[in-house]
Amino acid sequence: PQQQAKKESTRGQKNLGLFFGHLYSQPRQHSMVGASKDVHPAVLALGLQYSSYVICGSTARMVAMLLAFKAVIESYQTPVGTSLARHLTNHHLSPQIDYLRSCRPLSISMGNAIRWLKDLIIKIDPSTPEAEAKRDLVEEIDMFIRERVTAAQKLIRDQAATKILPGDVILTYASSSIVEQTLLQAHKAGVPFTVIVVDSKPLFEGKTLARKLANQGITVRYYLITGASHAVKDASKVFLGAHAMMSNGRLYSRVGTALVSMLARSHSLPVLVLCESVKFTEKVALDSIVGNEVAPASEILSEAERASLLPLEPHLPATHPSKNKAEDKHAADDA
Amino acid sequence: MAQGITQLAPGLISFLKSLKTTPADPSVEHLISLLKRRQIRNSRPCAIATTALMLRVVGEFKGRDAAKLVERIRQVGRRLTAAQPREVVVGNIVRRVLGLVREVLDDNTGDSHTGSDAGHNTPTHHDSMTRPTLSSSISTFSPLRHAAAEPMDASMTSEMSDSSEFNRRPPLLTSHTSYAPTTSAPLVNSLFGLFSQPDDSNASTPTGAASPDGKSAHSLNLERLADLSRSTNIDLKSEVMDGIRELQDELEQSDEQIAGVALEHIHSNEIILTHTASTTVQKFLLSAAKKRKFTVVHAETYPHDNTATHGILLTGRKRETRLDEDEDPWKPLTAAGIPVYVIPDSHVFAIMSRVNKVILATHTVLANGGLVAAAGAHMIAKAAKEHRTPVVVLSGVYKLSPVYPFDIDELIEYGDAGRVVPYEDGEFVDKVDVEHPLYDYVPADLVDLYITNLGGHAPSYLYRIVADHYHTEDITL
């Protein structure tokens, strides 16, 4: 399988050069094969959940990572002759992070959390007993999650829910946990409003959101991105989730967000982005091509679509073995 | 073999086959049911089917006067458009055929009576430019002035008093027309006509007191029409049928003609974005690929057109229009050495900054320069505008319709929601309102250039092409 993967990646290098060739650095890991023996089982499991999109969304991924790191830290034992502060980050945490990165590129929020954690570990006084240091670390991680995620989200949804007025039609793209919480909070507060969910392939995250909202009794309409220009006509406000906020004020979010906000702007709709401060980055971006995340092209073609292509095979000219190249990226930049 | 034919899936091919043996009326029913069941869909198949049917209808028409033929075509046209109002092309073709009849009549009027007037020998209809010359040579009350402006109606109102359709048209100035004409507006076909219009309404206002001059004109007119119907009936049908065959040729050739100018619009190493499955765009790109190297990025228009898009990329043809299997094997763009990248529709904005040109296929082009195209076209055009990328629309003239988008929603067709969320997901479908628009309306200001089989046009010029192809009196069928 490794050989095959290598072959695939060299071919990928060759023919995916149009837009995102520079982003295909390493083939994506879909198994535990080849993982370093130091990688903790919790992290191994997490990596697979990342690559199969079971855990998806930058906040969820960051929280899951920190929880896995708690397990890593708890089972960590400083080897003789080194100190925890020196050894843990470089020799024990790094392979875990590398493995996670090979499963799916790190999100901005994950990068921020990792930087914070490393900083924390380095600052531990070498004289602190190991057990105490580990306990402190685990506590700090819990605190981080509570402060930067739980409390932040509560604050955001309290604020954002007040923006939803009776009779509003809220349009949202794909799925964002914080948008979902906001909508549910406003619904619980008794504000009558309806929701339009715009979604796109291949993950159809919006479907999950639409289902959850509908189960709570909110009227939901569901469009795919091709119908977005019809969807915005009826909307009165747009709520978007974020992957990251760039320091030049641009939103970095899942691909298609820019289209939705462009259409919203042309209809003069207010576009609200709900974003925790842990997602802020000092990076800047002008377009979505220089820096982005790419996924294997095979993910775009659903099994049903692949099957429907099979009858076409006899029509293929014999010379070209592969011509249906596809490009996938999971984030788009919003001007 | 015979079984193989009967087992053909109902569609354009089966319709064309059955048309050879079935008389007109059952064929009309057949096409109506095919249109209603959406077994014939998209502009080109609809246009081909309608033209073939029109040929049949005109061919089987038995009768001696043009008014009845016009009425018959209109009646068929009304039923066809009612069957599937959103396939605007059907109405376009019917209007073109009506225009043909009117043109033939126009020609003959000119031939038989103003043979000296060269302006009437040309097939241009409603050539108001020639009117002043005409009226100057004949008395101001002459019905020929009407004949020049509305020769069809003139001949018909007098011949066809039983056809209620025509009674509301500007009648001849005769002593028996005692009502005021309600529609003098259709007379104004072009800017030039504007100035002669008041003159017309004056002339057609029934004064009650018919001058001796008017009476003589009336008798002259009757004589002329009798003469006309005798002389035209013989070749009216065949001329109209010839015209319809020309229309068929136009349908066949429009793609090639559009493709012919491809090299003027595509330069080397360009990155071109297009979407949905379109034969016109495919041929355009293929013709450019013979000489130039460029890259194509293709948005797949999920969910309603993605299989067709994949099909056209892999085999070079849409799957539903597999007309003649063996002859003219189409090649996909990749076989011509053009790298093709398929992207989901959501990626359009991200990639637009690298795209040099956007080429859109269309479903219908409207008279104001806007267009109705596959869903997603609006956001692609909008994203292109945002990036100042030129948007080129390829469309045969047959897709150009005299309709103005007063009610845009009326033009948008909604498709099977099961394609968006499969019905297996009963709980979801129950609770959530799933919508699946098939078309987008793209306003004219998002389009930079139209390329039709007549050449390139600015969107603001399209109204003029509409005026050249459709008669104002046919706009409401």
Side-chain angles (χ1 to χ4, degrees), chain B residues 148-415:
Chain B
E150 299 263 285
M152 268 303 302
D153 297 329
S155 61
M156 277 183 310
T157 29
S158 56
E159 280 182 12
M160 282 280 309
S161 49
D162 58 307
S163 165
S164 58
E165 265 302 304
F166 297 101
N167 284 347
R168 58 181 172 81
R169 307 209 165 243
L172 286 171
L173 177 65
T174 51
S175 47
H176 66 260
T177 52
S178 56
Y179 54 91
T182 48
T183 52
S184 48
L187 286 172
V188 188
N189 188 41
S190 71
L191 274 178
F192 309 112
L194 270 178
F195 305 108
S196 44
Q197 198 223 328
D199 198 28
D200 269 322
S201 55
N202 272 341
S204 52
T205 311
T207 49
S211 64
D213 186 15
K215 262 180 191 160
S216 72
H218 173 50
S219 55
L220 175 96
N221 181 53
L222 281 183
E223 205 175 287
R224 184 179 66 83
L225 283 168
D227 183 37
L228 180 75
S229 51
R230 236 177 287 124
S231 67
T232 50
N233 266 341
I234 305 152
D235 51 1
L236 169 69
K237 208 165 97 170
S238 65
E239 273 191 47
V240 171
M241 283 174 79
D242 280 346
I244 298 178
R245 284 193 197 98
E246 266 171 40
L247 196 58
Q248 281 181 321
D249 289 344
E250 185 199 312
L251 289 183
E252 242 168 63
Q253 287 165 6
S254 73
D255 281 353
E256 272 77 20
Q257 283 168 333
I258 293 171
V261 296
L263 286 177
E264 289 171 28
H265 297 281
I266 294 177
H267 62 72
S268 55
N269 294 326
E270 222 173 359
I271 296 175
I272 286 172
L273 184 124
T274 181
H275 87 313
T276 195
S278 157
T279 338
T280 316
V281 174
Q282 174 80 1
K283 285 193 177 165
F284 186 82
L285 295 177
L286 264 179
S287 125
K290 282 180 198 146
K291 290 256 175 69
R292 308 251 156 94
K293 287 274 164 265
F294 53 94
T295 308
V296 173
V297 180
H298 208 128
E300 61 180 358
T301 336
Y302 186 84
H304 91 277
D305 230 2
N306 58 328
T307 39
T309 308
H310 292 157
I312 208 164
L313 289 176
L314 286 172
T315 66
R317 75 166 85 208
K318 286 201 227 181
R319 258 185 278 179
E320 60 254 48
T321 54
R322 219 172 268 167
L323 269 175
D324 20 33
E325 283 285 350
D326 25 16
E327 70 163 298
D328 182 29
W330 293 20
K331 274 196 295 183
L333 278 171
T334 40
I338 300 298
V340 179
Y341 293 80
V342 181
I343 55 161
D345 307 282
S346 47
H347 296 190
V348 167
F349 196 94
I351 280 169
M352 193 56 84
S353 60
R354 291 282 305 276
V355 171
N356 295 89
K357 209 161 271 161
V358 175
I359 295 185
L360 292 181
T362 158
H363 179 70
T364 309
V365 182
L366 304 169
N368 70 338
L371 68 138
V372 177
H378 182 238
M379 62 180 191
I380 291 174
K382 188 95 196 158
K385 198 81 191 166
E386 205 93 336
H387 287 93
R388 306 292 184 270
T389 309
V391 177
V392 179
V393 176
L394 305 185
S395 159
V397 166
Y398 68 94
K399 289 184 185 173
L400 186 59
S401 110
V403 175
Y404 278 87
F406 295 121
D407 185 4
I408 294 161
D409 291 335
E410 209 169 62
L411 293 165
I412 305 299
E413 186 181 339
Y414 279 72

Side-chain angles (χ1 to χ4, degrees), chain B residues 73-85:
Chain B
I73 295 171
R74 288 172 72 121
Q75 175 229 333
V76 171
R78 268 196 299 264
R79 296 191 57 205
L80 289 180
T81 43
Q84 196 44 259

Side-chain angles (χ1 to χ4, degrees), chain A residues 15-20 173 200-202 204 206-208 210-211 214-215 218 220-230 233 255-256 258-259 262-263 265-267 287-289 292 300-302 305 308-309 311-312 315-317 320 323-329 331-335, chain B residues 271 295-297 300-303 306-307 310-311 313-315 317 319 322 325 332 334-335 337 339-351 353-355 375-376 378-380 382-383 386 408-409 412 414 419-422 425 427-428 431-437 439-441:
Chain A
N15 59 23
L16 285 170
L18 180 61
F19 299 119
F20 301 106
Y173 178 65
S200 78
K201 67 184 296 198
F204 298 110
K207 239 185 224 180
T208 330
R211 197 187 306 267
N215 282 339
I218 303 178
V220 183
R221 282 155 69 188
Y222 181 82
Y223 282 85
L224 287 183
I225 185 85
T226 43
S229 59
H230 299 277
K233 269 188 230 160
V255 61
L259 280 172
M262 172 190 74
L263 291 168
R265 188 196 158 102
S266 73
H267 284 256
D287 64 16
S288 16
I289 292 177
N292 214 324
I300 284 185
L301 220 55
S302 70
E305 286 176 84
S308 72
L309 282 179
L312 290 173
H315 295 280
L316 287 183
H320 277 257
K323 48 190 47 68
N324 205 354
K325 299 173 217 159
E327 304 223 347
D328 184 16
K329 359 160 287 343
D333 182 24
D334 180 11
Chain B
I271 296 175
T295 308
V296 173
V297 180
E300 61 180 358
T301 336
Y302 186 84
N306 58 328
T307 39
H310 292 157
L313 289 176
L314 286 172
T315 66
R317 75 166 85 208
R319 258 185 278 179
R322 219 172 268 167
E325 283 285 350
T334 40
V340 179
Y341 293 80
V342 181
I343 55 161
D345 307 282
S346 47
H347 296 190
V348 167
F349 196 94
I351 280 169
S353 60
R354 291 282 305 276
V355 171
H378 182 238
M379 62 180 191
I380 291 174
K382 188 95 196 158
E386 205 93 336
I408 294 161
D409 291 335
I412 305 299
Y414 279 72
R419 299 289 292 270
V420 178
V421 180
D425 198 349
E427 186 208 350
F428 189 91
K431 287 181 178 159
V432 177
D433 195 1
V434 180
E435 308 217 16
H436 181 201
Y439 298 114
D440 264 2
Y441 169 69

